[in-house]
Amino acid sequence: MHSYTKAESRERGKLFRKGFRQSLADCVDPDIKRRIERIDQAAAERGALELAALHKVQADARQDLAAAKAVERTAPRADKATARQARKQAEERVRLAERAVQGAERS
């Protein structure tokens, strides 16, 4: 996964276009390739950190869901509705976390 900042995306685009024009003339500056690789490396490192953080959020959400299910199962009749609502909210957080992880892994 790569996570480019806006400035990195702009700079990488400029460098790519410049390199493309130079490749048409068959005289590509190796500095352009190095700068693009440096930007890609920084984005890959940032992406790996973000993906690890998303996995942690997903694991925490699953733990919260398990706790909410246990509370719902052991709640007295008067508190069942509140416990059910808390479980549904925990399930929604798990779904959101899973979608975020899947989206990050695809890119």
Side-chain angles (χ1 to χ4, degrees):
M1 176 181 152
H2 288 80
S3 179
Y4 295 98
T5 63
K6 289 183 180 183
E8 285 174 339
S9 292
R10 282 191 305 270
E11 181 68 19
R12 190 178 188 286
K14 287 178 190 176
L15 291 170
F16 178 80
R17 287 187 294 277
K18 188 174 183 178
F20 179 74
R21 285 192 301 271
Q22 288 180 0
S23 70
L24 293 176
D26 203 25
C27 60
V28 179
D29 184 8
D31 183 51
I32 290 175
K33 288 182 181 179
R34 278 194 302 272
R35 289 170 60 189
I36 288 175
E37 288 172 0
R38 207 171 335 153
I39 290 170
D40 288 344
Q41 180 64 29
E45 290 172 6
R46 192 178 311 108
L49 290 173
E50 290 177 8
L51 186 59
L54 284 172
H55 280 293
K56 183 179 179 338
V57 168
Q58 182 183 27
D60 292 345
R62 286 180 177 167
Q63 287 290 335
D64 292 344
L65 176 59
K69 283 182 177 182
V71 167
E72 182 182 13
R73 288 184 185 126
T74 59
R77 184 178 209 92
D79 297 334
K80 284 277 190 193
T82 306
R84 186 178 311 112
Q85 190 64 22
R87 177 189 47 86
K88 288 181 180 182
Q89 289 173 349
E91 287 173 344
E92 181 62 23
R93 284 192 300 273
V94 168
R95 275 193 294 276
L96 290 173
E98 286 174 351
R99 277 191 222 131
V101 168
Q102 289 172 354
E105 288 176 341
R106 270 188 252 123
S107 61

